[in-house]
Amino acid sequence: MMNKRAFNFNAGPAALPLEVLERAQAELVDYKGTGMSIMEMSHRGAVYESVHNEAQERLLSLLGNPKGYKVLFLQGGASTQFAMIPMNFLSAGVTGSYVNTGSWAKKAISEAKIIGETHIAASGESSKFMKLPSLSEIEIAENAAYLHMTSNETIEGTQFKDFPDTGNTPLIVDMSSDILSRPLDMNKFDMIYAGAQKNLGPSGVTVVIAKEEMLTGSPKTIPSMLRYDTFLGNNSLYNTPPSFGIYLMNEVLKWIEEQGGLVQVEKANEKKAGSIYQVIDESQGFYRGCVDAEDRSRMNVTFRLADEALEKEFIKQSEKEGFIGIKGHRSVGGLRASIYNAVPYESVKALTDFMKEFQKING
Ligand SMILES: *Cc1c(COP(=O)(O)O)cnc(C)c1O
């Protein structure tokens, strides 16, 4: 039997597939007969470079090899992209159009405001972000350099099921918390990006996947490390990349392939999220889902109990039973189960059993 693994519902950094961790463990001190760890190798050497290139190829292949797209590996998290996007695309006379869906969208907007002009194309604020604006409500500014969306609001627990046709305006989407959780028609997107630590691997790597023309022609006034063309022109090897993180991500991508790709991963995610929402919906109000049913996230299930005292008790009991990370984000309270790709169904089943038992005793 394997070691006992926690029922890990952390929001990020989050659970990684056990198979990936075991493979990394086996290769840790001697990577493929080189006598060293991948962490100890030059990022200019052939061994590391093949891992680097493989990870890029796997990402594109899982997305159906869309024509004309490039993969960049950066650092600084998705939060640095909040700044790099306006730095690279906002110039005098154009604006960044944003769909304001909650905590992460707001951060993206406030960073863009430091750099240039912003515009709110649609907002869920009137519902306290418990409901997403419908795609038909989105009004892109006439002088928009791009439309920015957040596909999955990790803290509130909402997720877009579809994306708008933005015509000639580039669509840029923060997919930090649901990238590779479902098949995507990449042709709808001009740029997507994600911090790795939710669905792709460990923290420290940021992935940008974009049409090549988005990555050229950064304004000359931006420092090298904040320009997309620096990363494009040097295959993301301008400076030292987060090599171990990219290696682990490549292993996670292999694992996704072994699951049968994104169609199978989506099925598994549907089953996991569906089983928790079912317990919530059948609890006759004992558990209450936080967000509008049609906007529910399959990655972050947010819910509440009758009062904070009972929520506290739920968290306390769940921790005793080995559940990690069930407490909601400090900014919104309540409860949250983050069930990214790597969270096994067994963990979710254990949680739904616990939820039913907790209701029996406290309902
Ligand atoms: C976690 C998260 C971020 C921030 O990512 P960092 O890598 O910590 O900067 C941004 N957007 C979304 C949707 C997230 O879930």
Side-chain angles (χ1 to χ4, degrees):
M1 263 310 281
M2 61 187 179
N3 296 338
K4 188 168 158 35
R5 295 268 293 161
F7 297 128
N8 184 353
F9 295 95
N10 278 331
L16 287 164
L18 177 62
E19 297 92 317
V20 167
L21 294 174
E22 286 175 339
R23 212 177 287 164
Q25 182 179 44
E27 293 181 338
L28 191 66
V29 298
D30 180 11
Y31 181 73
K32 297 194 171 160
T34 57
M36 61 182 107
S37 156
I38 199 104
M39 282 182 274
E40 302 168 285
M41 281 175 199
S42 168
H43 60 293
R44 308 275 173 214
V47 177
Y48 172 71
E49 246 185 293
S50 76
V51 171
H52 188 93
N53 294 340
E54 249 185 54
Q56 291 173 332
E57 282 158 23
R58 281 216 161 79
L59 271 166
L60 289 176
S61 148
L62 283 164
L63 293 167
N65 284 318
K67 264 213 178 86
Y69 287 76
K70 294 285 182 186
V71 176
L72 307 182
F73 299 136
L74 304 95
Q75 299 190 56
S79 300
T80 299
Q81 293 312 299
F82 295 164
M84 268 178 82
I85 289 162
M87 286 173 107
N88 281 266
F89 302 125
L90 287 189
S91 51
V94 296
T95 187
S97 240
Y98 284 78
V99 180
N100 185 10
T101 43
S103 303
W104 288 115
K106 279 201 275 189
K107 286 208 162 150
I109 294 162
S110 65
E111 287 295 286
K113 278 190 173 152
I114 297 171
I115 306 296
E117 196 192 311
T118 59
H119 161 263
I120 302 301
S123 176
E125 190 137 36
S126 63
S127 72
K128 295 204 166 77
F129 302 115
M130 295 300 116
K131 187 172 167 34
L132 291 172
S134 69
L135 298 189
S136 59
E137 280 170 60
I138 297 173
E139 286 188 37
I140 304 171
E142 222 160 272
N143 61 338
Y146 55 82
L147 178 74
H148 182 281
M149 295 176 72
T150 309
S151 56
N152 185 82
E153 283 285 0
T154 321
I155 291 172
E156 286 80 2
T158 55
Q159 184 177 30
F160 279 103
K161 305 290 177 299
D162 203 359
F163 295 88
D165 177 356
T166 56
N168 289 328
T169 309
L171 176 59
I172 301 180
V173 181
D174 175 3
M175 293 197 185
S176 291
S177 51
D178 69 351
I179 190 168
L180 302 192
S181 69
R182 55 184 171 181
L184 275 186
D185 174 8
M186 269 308 285
N187 294 308
K188 286 197 161 181
F189 308 99
D190 297 83
M191 175 182 284
I192 65 174
Y193 65 95
Q197 68 273 18
K198 281 136 191 169
N199 246 339
L200 294 176
S203 61
V205 189
T206 309
V207 170
V208 167
I209 305 169
K211 285 189 180 151
E212 185 162 1
E213 65 256 31
M214 296 290 287
L215 305 172
T216 56
S218 311
K220 296 286 174 268
T221 48
I222 316 173
S224 306
M225 283 299 289
L226 297 168
R227 308 163 62 91
Y228 289 117
D229 59 7
T230 301
F231 288 84
L232 179 71
N234 295 279
N235 190 27
S236 301
L237 290 163
Y238 170 75
N239 77 323
T240 317
S243 52
F244 191 71
I246 291 169
Y247 155 77
L248 259 182
M249 182 171 66
N250 188 39
E251 294 301 322
V252 170
L253 299 175
K254 275 186 208 170
W255 176 84
I256 293 177
E257 289 173 352
E258 288 159 12
Q259 306 306 298
L262 299 186
V263 171
Q264 292 308 317
V265 162
E266 178 179 44
K267 271 192 195 145
N269 287 332
E270 251 169 26
K271 180 178 169 194
K272 287 187 293 179
S275 67
I276 303 178
Y277 287 123
Q278 189 182 353
V279 171
I280 291 170
D281 291 340
E282 290 176 355
S283 74
Q284 293 178 323
F286 183 76
Y287 298 108
R288 283 176 293 118
C290 292
V291 305
D292 239 48
E294 63 199 52
D295 295 329
R296 284 171 165 178
S297 167
R298 285 190 199 137
M299 298 279 98
N300 310 96
V301 178
T302 51
F303 59 102
R304 305 214 68 139
L305 286 161
D307 56 53
E308 276 180 35
L310 197 55
E311 287 172 352
K312 247 190 175 154
E313 186 58 26
F314 182 95
I315 293 161
K316 196 170 129 200
Q317 294 287 333
S318 73
E319 282 171 355
K320 241 191 237 161
E321 301 292 323
F323 296 95
I324 309 292
I326 298 291
K327 193 166 187 242
H329 191 271
R330 59 191 184 280
S331 63
V332 294
L335 304 156
R336 170 174 59 169
S338 296
I339 47 172
Y340 303 119
N341 288 351
V343 174
Y345 178 71
E346 292 68 49
S347 293
V348 171
K349 176 73 169 61
L351 177 64
T352 53
D353 287 347
F354 171 79
M355 287 171 74
K356 287 183 214 162
E357 191 58 30
F358 186 85
Q359 180 176 4
K360 226 183 256 167
I361 296 164
N362 298 280

